[in-house]
Amino acid sequence: MGLGCIAVGCPDLRDLSLRWCIGVTHLGLDLLALKCKKLNVLDLSYTMIVKKCFPAIMKLQNLQVLLLVGCNGIDDDALSSLDQQCSRSLQVLDMSNSCNITHVGIMSVVKAMPNLLELNLSYCSPVTPPMSSSFKLICKLRTLKLDGCQFMADGLKLIGKSCISLRELSLSKCSGVTDTDLSFVVSRLKNLLKLDVTCCRKITDVSLAAITTSCPSLISLRMESCSLLCSEGLQLIGKRCTHLEELDLTDTDLDDEGLKALSRCSKLSSLKIGICLRITDEGLSHISKSCPDLRDIDLYRSGAISDEGVTCMAQGCPMLESINLSYCTKITDCSLRSLSKCIKLNTLEIRGCPMVSSAGLAEIATGCRLLSKLDIKKCFKINDLGMIFLSQFSHNLRQINLSYCSVTDIGLISLSSIFGLQNVTIVHLSGVTPNGLIAALMVCGLRKVKLHEAFKAMVPLQMLKVVEARGCIFQWINKPYQVALEPCDVWKQQSQDLLVQ
């Protein structure tokens, strides 16, 4: 009934999202195809559509984008019903996380949709040689995403032969990716602009040498947790791929010499180098001098970074919009004072920085008026004074994590005066009482609140229902109180041990 009303009442509809609308059936889609002939974008992700729905979808002759993420009612039989008469205008198809599709169904899709420019099959079928070979039927394909897929023998190599027009290839968390296969693929994809090999843990400097030699025009490269890459190999990125705008080397062997080489990438706007335990302030100084357009930098758990490095970044990269300094335990209010000059800063993560205080947060609040996301968990010296400054100056604040801070009812109630605040995490705030929490919840129009489970019995049930009726979702956390901050190298070793297990 609902979809029918939309179809009849909105004949000029161009963009429609029915994500998570599990009541959608072929009847509603039939009416949609009949009435909304101008539809360009249709999102049916996480719905229960089945084989009978496809004829209606394929009648949408102006459809350009079709999203079918997590549609487990779709199987090979449903896809086999597709034919050459289906929508010739379709350019983007996303079938990621649709677990009942195999390479047989994907080959049916490829044959029926030869004009696709972008195809996302992440976390679907294992990639077999016949499936990879079938991609040659999509001669204009520019983007192929296969994150989380398992590559069978020669499956990756054949992509290099079949998809020579690719501009973007995403292989994040794929198994079966080897130096030999990846080197061959990039040698064939000379026009590749974006490559994601996050967590492809078997690749070494051999792959890195091939990537940087064959694809010097890359603008985006993601290599997080490629743990076999050595510091010397990582220097090749800066020496050969100088057009990079986005680079992710989180949890690699990057050192200051690598950062010095990366300083040649003067167009960098996003740099993620968290959990790189060998980088220091000296390396950051090279980036700050050469990359003035940097907007986003992630230094999560890069424990050797201090105020000196952060100050260099703030002065050399005044356009910064987001910085993650979580667990960089050497930084103090001096870093925040420097960052307060970055007036476009909207995201600040300083979780686990025990030496920053409300004085530093006050500098951020007064200087960075666009601040919308703030994580100050385990910043023990931040108290009510910091919250008062936020309430006075940070009117764009939307999300904050206060867990383990020294904030009391006064600070929480002050914070609740921020009209647009939507998401608050206040686990383990020993200075907050049930009455203070209730007062803050009743004033603020929050959409999501994370609280310790102990508060659940202290707050009147009727009060919780009132807040929920206003659209707020409560998430109750039952975590033990843990103040200790583990050194970054110890934390990394524990994480690696867990991965091995």
Side-chain angles (χ1 to χ4, degrees):
M1 177 66 73
L3 183 54
C5 291
I6 292 172
V8 173
C10 306
D12 293 327
L13 197 64
R14 299 293 203 281
D15 188 333
L16 177 62
S17 176
L18 297 170
R19 180 175 288 238
W20 289 107
C21 295
I22 59 176
V24 171
T25 69
H26 70 283
L27 297 175
L29 293 173
D30 285 339
L31 193 55
L32 188 72
L34 181 64
K35 297 293 185 180
C36 299
K37 298 183 182 298
K38 298 178 183 179
L39 199 65
N40 298 139
V41 180
L42 179 59
D43 188 351
L44 293 170
S45 300
Y46 304 105
T47 60
M48 303 301 292
I49 64 168
V50 293
K51 181 177 181 179
K52 289 191 292 185
C53 298
F54 276 92
I57 296 171
M58 293 303 109
K59 288 177 184 176
L60 294 165
Q61 292 304 309
N62 291 302
L63 192 65
Q64 297 179 5
V65 179
L66 178 60
L67 307 180
L68 301 173
V69 181
C71 290
N72 294 327
I74 302 175
D75 55 17
D76 292 344
D77 181 53
L79 297 176
S80 68
S81 65
L82 299 174
D83 56 40
Q84 296 294 331
Q85 301 305 313
C86 72
S87 178
R88 312 294 289 183
S89 62
L90 199 63
Q91 298 179 359
V92 178
L93 177 64
D94 188 345
M95 300 179 65
S96 56
N97 292 287
S98 297
C99 61
N100 291 322
I101 300 172
T102 72
H103 69 282
V104 175
I106 291 169
M107 291 168 65
S108 297
V109 170
V110 169
K111 292 175 183 177
M113 302 178 183
N115 295 320
L116 284 177
L117 299 178
E118 180 176 330
L119 179 61
N120 190 340
L121 300 171
S122 300
Y123 300 97
C124 285
S125 162
V127 182
T128 63
M131 174 177 156
S132 296
S133 296
S134 72
F135 291 144
K136 65 185 176 184
L137 298 176
I138 317 177
C139 59
K140 298 178 182 179
L141 192 64
R142 297 292 184 267
T143 299
L144 180 60
K145 297 182 179 181
L146 298 168
D147 302 331
C149 292
Q150 178 187 2
F151 279 92
M152 311 307 287
D154 293 326
L156 184 53
K157 272 188 176 180
L158 287 169
I159 287 176
K161 294 181 179 179
S162 304
C163 305
I164 57 174
S165 297
L166 278 185
R167 299 293 186 271
E168 179 177 358
L169 178 62
S170 189
L171 305 172
S172 173
K173 300 181 181 179
C174 288
S175 58
V177 177
T178 64
D179 281 336
T180 302
D181 291 351
L182 185 57
S183 297
F184 178 81
V185 167
V186 296
S187 72
R188 299 295 295 267
L189 304 180
K190 299 292 186 180
N191 297 314
L192 201 65
L193 297 176
K194 297 182 179 183
L195 177 64
D196 188 346
V197 287
T198 297
C199 294
C200 292
R201 300 181 186 277
K202 292 184 178 181
I203 65 173
T204 69
D205 291 345
V206 173
S207 289
L208 192 52
I211 292 167
T212 55
T213 300
S214 301
C215 306
S217 298
L218 281 176
I219 61 172
S220 176
L221 178 60
R222 295 173 175 269
M223 305 192 80
E224 177 183 349
S225 296
C226 292
S227 52
L228 297 182
L229 302 177
C230 72
S231 56
E232 290 77 12
L234 291 168
Q235 292 178 34
L236 295 176
I237 299 173
K239 293 176 180 178
R240 297 175 180 173
C241 300
T242 56
H243 299 288
L244 279 171
E245 298 173 10
E246 178 184 25
L247 179 61
D248 188 347
L249 295 177
T250 302
D251 191 18
T252 61
D253 196 38
L254 184 69
D255 60 10
D256 287 343
E257 285 301 310
L259 285 177
K260 184 177 181 180
L262 288 176
S263 67
R264 300 181 187 184
C265 304
S266 59
K267 297 180 181 178
L268 273 177
S269 63
S270 176
L271 179 61
K272 297 184 183 299
I273 47 177
I275 326 178
C276 292
L277 305 186
R278 299 178 65 190
I279 63 174
T280 70
D281 295 335
E282 180 183 351
L284 279 189
S285 69
H286 295 300
I287 297 296
S288 64
K289 292 173 183 177
S290 304
C291 304
D293 295 328
L294 199 66
R295 300 292 198 275
D296 175 15
I297 186 164
D298 188 340
L299 296 163
Y300 174 82
R301 285 192 185 273
S302 295
I305 302 301
S306 72
D307 290 335
E308 181 183 349
V310 177
T311 299
C312 284
M313 290 302 306
Q315 292 174 347
C317 307
M319 307 302 286
L320 270 180
E321 296 176 7
S322 173
I323 185 166
N324 188 344
L325 294 167
S326 295
Y327 300 104
C328 294
T329 54
K330 293 183 178 181
I331 71 165
T332 70
D333 289 339
C334 181
S335 289
L336 301 191
R337 192 174 303 114
S338 299
L339 288 170
S340 70
K341 306 299 189 295
C342 300
I343 59 174
K344 293 193 174 183
L345 194 71
N346 59 61
T347 300
L348 176 62
E349 298 180 65
I350 49 174
R351 170 186 301 210
C353 296
M355 291 195 286
V356 300
S357 72
S358 290
L361 186 58
E363 298 275 0
I364 292 292
T366 54
C368 305
R369 301 297 181 92
L370 298 179
L371 191 68
S372 62
K373 180 181 177 182
L374 178 63
D375 188 344
I376 50 176
K377 178 180 178 180
K378 292 193 175 182
C379 294
F380 309 116
K381 292 184 179 181
I382 291 180
N383 55 29
D384 292 340
L385 181 61
M387 301 304 101
I388 292 171
F389 270 91
L390 288 175
S391 67
Q392 292 295 312
F393 299 103
S394 299
H395 301 303
N396 290 298
L397 194 64
R398 298 293 178 267
Q399 180 177 334
I400 186 169
N401 188 338
L402 296 171
S403 300
Y404 292 92
C405 291
S406 301
V407 175
T408 70
D409 292 347
I410 295 172
L412 190 60
I413 293 171
S414 296
L415 198 65
S416 68
S417 67
I418 300 176
F419 179 75
L421 192 61
Q422 297 177 352
N423 190 328
V424 177
T425 300
I426 44 179
V427 179
H428 295 307
L429 273 188
S430 57
V432 172
T433 68
N435 287 338
L437 176 61
I438 292 169
L441 291 175
M442 294 306 293
V443 172
C444 198
L446 293 170
R447 290 291 174 264
K448 185 176 181 181
V449 182
K450 289 185 181 179
L451 290 163
H452 194 274
E453 202 170 51
F455 270 113
K456 198 170 186 178
M458 301 179 189
V459 180
L461 180 60
Q462 191 60 38
M463 199 68 70
L464 291 177
K465 288 183 177 180
V466 169
V467 178
E468 287 175 335
R470 294 188 335 210
C472 183
I473 298 172
F474 287 98
Q475 184 175 349
W476 302 99
I477 308 296
N478 188 17
K479 287 185 177 180
Y481 187 78
Q482 184 177 1
V483 176
L485 297 173
E486 293 173 337
C488 294
D489 54 343
V490 174
W491 178 87
K492 182 172 182 176
Q493 184 60 54
Q494 291 174 344
S495 300
Q496 290 174 340
D497 291 345
L498 287 172
L499 185 63
V500 170
Q501 293 173 9

